[in-house]
């Protein structure tokens, strides 16, 4: 069966606190573990009132401490925001605390607005341009120490934390292929280059010590409920959030609304629907059909799902229902 995984942003839901958001992430991971999901990743974002996972390594530890078997990692750490040594120490520490369960997904976007990015990076151009070199440096710091270098990460060295490359462009596909890394494409919010990026990655993949053949994970958003109408209602929270992003409005993750009419303009609606066109929204039957068509078009090795639902119980139920789609998809494959 194709593996399913979870991508979580620790949403700070309207009317709730940061602590409640972080505890909700832990609860979500526990439900994911119970329902057979392979991994649970948390994303680095900064300066966003609706997202609590800015200190990503800390949130990973909080989640890993509340689970037993599911792999926990970053989806991703925005490496240009950090020194490779600092990330090696953080994830080496996590690996020591939760051995065999920690993963490090890396991206090169700022994960925030430009003003906050400048505060994080100081040197914007150097951070982005040194991304390939920083990945190689991070691999070295997490691997067997090089006596000639003299620089070691403690904790970190000999931890061999698995590294993934994340991306939403053709650049990331070329780089992941050249470095022989597993590749996760952010098709849940950047669908346009998905098929071309996957094709490039698979065609140009160079085997590495850690990976002998290409491995692609692709992202989808999902809101699944007992009926299509209920699922569409739940998904209005995500639609509002994306409209707010386009308007540069920062606020907590919004409650759902009965209708989006009157909230967005026609241009905004077209843009958001295009951005979220791979979303799996509906009842079990509707969602199964959408997922089957998506998998047939992309043929990924794994799917990672983000569930942007305001109410925690409805979010947990959506994750349970999505897990149940796996059997139906396999039967029709």
């Amino acid at each position: 069966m194709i593996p399913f995984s979870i991508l979580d942003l620790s949403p700070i839901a309207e009317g709730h606190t940061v602590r409640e958001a972080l505890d909700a992430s832990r609860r979500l991971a526990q439900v994911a573990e119970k329902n057979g999901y392979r991994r649970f990743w948390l994303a680095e974002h900064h300066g966003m009132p609706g997202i609590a996972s800015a200190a990503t390594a800390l949130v990973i530890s909080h989640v890993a401490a509340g689970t037993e078997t599911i792999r926990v990692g970053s989806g991703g750490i925005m490496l240009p925001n950090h020194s490779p040594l600092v990330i090696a120490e953080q994830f080496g520490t996590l690996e020591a605390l939760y051995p065999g369960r920690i993963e490090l997904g890396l991206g090169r976007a700022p994960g925030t607005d430009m003003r906050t990015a400048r505060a994080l990076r100081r040197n914007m151009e150097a951070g982005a341009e040194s991304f390939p070199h920083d990945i190689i440096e991070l691999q070295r710091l997490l691997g067997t120490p090089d006596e000639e270098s003299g620089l070691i990460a403690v904790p970190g060295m000999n931890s061999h934390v698995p590294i993934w490359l994340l991306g939403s462009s053709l650049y990331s596909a070329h780089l992941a292929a050249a470095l022989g890394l597993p590749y996760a494409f952010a098709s849940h919010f950047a669908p346009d280059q998905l098929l071309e990026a996957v094709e490039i990655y698979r065609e140009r993949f160079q085997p590495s010590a850690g990976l002998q053949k290409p491995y692609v994970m692709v992202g989808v958003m999902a809101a699944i409920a007992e009926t299509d109408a209920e699922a569409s209602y739940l998904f209005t929270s995500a639609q509002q959030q994306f409209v707010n992003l386009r308007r540069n409005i920062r606020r907590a993750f919004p409650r759902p609304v009965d209708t989006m009419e009157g909230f967005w303009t026609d241009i905004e609606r077209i843009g958001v629907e295009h951005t979220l066109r791979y979303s799996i929204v509906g009842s079990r039957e509707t969602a199964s059909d959408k997922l089957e068509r998506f998998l047939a078009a992309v043929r990924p090795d794994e799917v990672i799902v983000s569930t942007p639902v305001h109410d925690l119980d409805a979010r947990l139920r959506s994750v349970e229902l999505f897990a149940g789609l796996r059997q139906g998809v396999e039967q029709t494959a």
Side-chain angles (χ1 to χ4, degrees):
M1 290 187 179
I2 185 169
F4 287 173
S5 293
I6 297 287
L7 175 64
D8 186 43
L9 278 66
S10 292
I12 305 171
E14 187 177 1
H16 294 268
T17 65
V18 170
R19 175 58 187 267
E20 288 172 325
L22 296 173
D23 287 345
S25 288
R26 180 187 277 203
R27 178 68 183 127
L28 184 64
Q30 292 168 340
V31 170
E33 184 174 75
K34 180 180 178 181
N35 283 272
Y37 286 84
R38 175 169 290 184
R39 61 190 95 245
F40 188 95
W41 280 3
L42 292 137
E44 176 186 348
H45 291 276
H46 299 276
M48 297 185 179
I51 296 176
S53 54
T56 315
L58 292 176
V59 186
I60 288 172
S61 186
H62 177 66
V63 168
T67 53
E68 297 179 359
T69 59
I70 195 168
R71 301 185 67 84
V72 187
S74 61
I77 289 292
M78 300 298 107
L79 188 53
N81 293 342
H82 312 277
S83 155
L85 177 60
V86 169
I87 298 304
E89 291 173 340
Q90 289 178 359
F91 279 76
T93 301
L94 289 168
E95 175 61 25
L97 291 170
Y98 314 103
R101 296 176 54 206
I102 300 301
E103 297 177 327
L104 175 54
L106 300 172
R108 69 183 182 113
T112 186
D113 62 276
M114 288 300 101
R115 177 180 296 179
T116 306
R118 281 190 290 271
L120 285 165
R121 295 185 180 182
R122 304 297 182 182
N123 188 336
M124 291 287 291
E125 293 183 3
E129 291 176 358
S130 64
F131 183 55
H133 170 78
D134 287 348
I135 294 173
I136 295 170
E137 176 71 359
L138 187 51
Q139 288 177 310
R140 189 190 65 75
L141 290 167
L142 292 170
T144 304
D146 180 358
E147 294 182 2
E148 295 182 359
S149 171
L151 179 66
I152 59 174
V154 184
M157 65 178 184
N158 293 317
S159 64
H160 303 287
V161 174
I163 291 178
W164 289 65
L165 189 63
L166 281 55
S168 58
S169 69
L170 303 185
Y171 171 88
S172 59
H174 284 284
L175 184 57
L179 296 178
L181 293 172
Y183 182 44
F185 192 88
S187 40
H188 57 297
F189 70 84
D192 291 340
Q193 294 183 312
L194 168 62
L195 298 179
E196 188 177 359
V198 170
E199 182 179 4
I200 288 171
Y201 170 70
R202 286 176 170 153
E203 287 182 351
R204 304 196 177 192
F205 180 83
Q206 299 297 313
S208 65
L211 191 64
Q212 292 300 301
K213 60 181 182 179
Y215 192 92
V216 178
M217 179 163 64
V218 295
V220 297
M221 288 193 186
I224 307 175
E226 301 305 325
T227 67
D228 289 347
E230 182 184 359
S232 296
Y233 168 73
L234 295 175
F235 198 61
T236 60
S237 293
Q239 292 170 326
Q240 292 176 76
Q241 183 184 45
F242 273 78
V243 171
N244 287 336
L245 284 173
R246 283 160 170 73
R247 295 175 179 175
N248 196 29
I249 296 174
R250 302 187 186 191
R251 54 168 294 187
F253 186 65
R255 294 183 175 89
V257 292
D258 291 331
T259 178
M260 289 292 292
E261 293 300 322
F263 182 87
W264 56 13
T265 66
D266 286 342
I267 296 298
E268 288 172 333
R269 175 185 59 78
I270 292 169
V272 171
E273 289 178 349
H274 175 82
T275 297
L276 303 180
R277 70 176 184 268
Y278 288 138
S279 298
I280 311 296
V281 180
S283 64
R284 282 172 284 191
E285 294 76 13
T286 300
S288 181
D289 179 64
K290 290 181 179 179
L291 181 60
E292 181 183 343
R293 286 187 277 111
F294 176 75
L295 295 179
V298 184
R299 297 292 180 187
D301 298 294
E302 187 170 340
V303 172
I304 189 164
V305 57
S306 174
T307 307
V309 173
H310 180 276
D311 178 76
L312 178 57
D313 289 337
R315 195 186 318 160
L316 299 179
R317 180 58 176 156
S318 181
V319 165
E320 291 173 341
L321 291 171
F322 192 88
L325 301 182
R326 184 188 292 108
Q327 183 176 1
V329 169
E330 292 296 327
Q331 288 176 346
T332 57

